[in-house]
Amino acid sequence: MNRVAVITGAGSGIGRETAVQLASDGWTLVVAGRRSAPLKEVADAAIDAGSPRVEVVCTDVSEDTEVWRLADRVSECFPTGKLAIINCAGLAEFGLFIE
């Protein structure tokens, strides 16, 4: 069974480690983040760890148009089947919790 995961914030930290761990379990990955160089390093590490395929998509998830572009790319690469979506992108909005 080909398991596919889309990981945002995959260029560093928890996102990177999640990508490498899933790769070692044989997952196909789409790694997304703002910076291409760290994503390329993660893709290489994921392939070395055992992922059969890794797609790199530079994406700033704080921008709606870029999220739609990521979704389009994922749809092009994997038109059928189920996906795991793992959000590790660090976004923050400051304000009162009740608002």
Side-chain angles (χ1 to χ4, degrees), residues 38-75:
L39 290 175
K40 173 72 170 109
E41 291 173 11
V42 170
D44 291 343
I47 293 293
D48 290 345
S51 178
R53 178 177 174 189
V54 181
E55 293 290 327
V56 174
V57 184
C58 287
T59 307
D60 181 347
V61 297
S62 70
E63 298 292 334
D64 291 351
T65 56
E66 291 198 27
V67 173
W68 283 110
R69 187 175 51 77
L70 171 61
D72 289 343
R73 181 73 177 136
V74 171
S75 294

